């Protein structure tokens, strides 16, 4: 783990994400964290340590297939938990993550299944039908 508040010389956050299989995503100060999207965009399996978080697009995407959730109380088990995941499962999670990350990208022009499309689909799915 790297203390990004006091990075070592030559540290580049993006490069670290690209080289990592897993990225810890702690809760932070708000109901969301940019670290979640940083992990997804860079193909790093998010390890979400944030009890009570509602994940974006949770009604549309199989978060269990490309991320891990670890309760705040189990943070001490983080390394053992990650080491216990079989390499084949890690590879499957990484492939799935690469498939779903397009759903988190806003383009200059609308594209099918981009972030805007997915947000509208989630809103539609949660909206009760008109009488």
């Amino acid at each position: 783990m790297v203390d990004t508040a006091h990075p070592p010389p030559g540290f580049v956050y993006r490069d670290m994400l690209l080289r990592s299989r897993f990225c810890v995503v702690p809760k932070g100060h708000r109901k969301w964290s940019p670290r979640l999207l940083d992990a997804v965009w860079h193909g790093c399996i998010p390890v979400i340590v944030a009890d009570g978080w509602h994940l974006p697009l949770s009604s549309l995407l199989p978060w269990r297939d490309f991320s891990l959730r670890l309760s705040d109380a189990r943070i001490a088990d983080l390394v053992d938990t990650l080491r216990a995941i079989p390499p084949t499962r890690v590879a499957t999670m990484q492939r799935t993550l690469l498939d779903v990350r397009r759903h988190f990208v806003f383009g200059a022009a609308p594209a099918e299944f981009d972030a805007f499309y997915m947000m509208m689909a989630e809103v539609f799915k949660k909206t009760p039908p008109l009488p």
Side-chain angles (χ1 to χ4, degrees), residues 13 17 23 25 34-46 97:
Y13 180 63
L17 292 173
C23 290
V25 180
R35 289 179 290 270
L36 178 61
L37 295 181
D38 288 348
V40 170
W41 286 334
H42 290 89
C44 186
I45 298 168
L97 179 59

Side-chain angles (χ1 to χ4, degrees), residues 18-74:
L18 288 169
R19 287 195 310 259
S20 299
R21 278 189 213 110
F22 297 100
C23 290
V24 177
V25 180
K27 190 181 300 187
H29 299 291
R30 297 181 180 85
K31 297 255 183 210
W32 62 276
S33 170
R35 289 179 290 270
L36 178 61
L37 295 181
D38 288 348
V40 170
W41 286 334
H42 290 89
C44 186
I45 298 168
V47 180
I48 302 157
V49 184
D51 292 343
W53 253 14
H54 177 79
L55 295 172
L57 308 175
S58 61
S59 68
L60 301 172
L61 296 179
W63 278 92
R64 281 195 171 138
D65 294 349
F66 61 90
S67 69
L68 297 170
R69 290 202 75 156
L70 191 66
S71 70
D72 295 346
R74 290 195 49 226

Side-chain angles (χ1 to χ4, degrees), residues 26-128:
K27 190 181 300 187
H29 299 291
R30 297 181 180 85
K31 297 255 183 210
W32 62 276
S33 170
R35 289 179 290 270
L36 178 61
L37 295 181
D38 288 348
V40 170
W41 286 334
H42 290 89
C44 186
I45 298 168
V47 180
I48 302 157
V49 184
D51 292 343
W53 253 14
H54 177 79
L55 295 172
L57 308 175
S58 61
S59 68
L60 301 172
L61 296 179
W63 278 92
R64 281 195 171 138
D65 294 349
F66 61 90
S67 69
L68 297 170
R69 290 202 75 156
L70 191 66
S71 70
D72 295 346
R74 290 195 49 226
I75 190 66
D77 301 331
L78 176 64
V79 173
D80 291 337
T81 299
L82 297 180
R83 285 186 176 147
I85 301 170
T88 54
R89 173 79 177 124
V90 172
T92 299
M93 292 176 81
Q94 287 176 313
R95 279 192 304 277
T96 304
L97 179 59
L98 293 177
D99 288 342
V100 301
R101 75 178 174 180
R102 67 186 171 126
H103 302 311
F104 296 91
V105 175
F106 287 97
E112 191 171 32
F113 301 108
D114 71 355
F116 180 78
Y117 180 101
M118 295 300 285
M119 285 189 324
M120 292 296 99
E122 185 155 37
V123 167
F124 179 76
K125 188 172 183 176
K126 293 179 177 183
T127 303

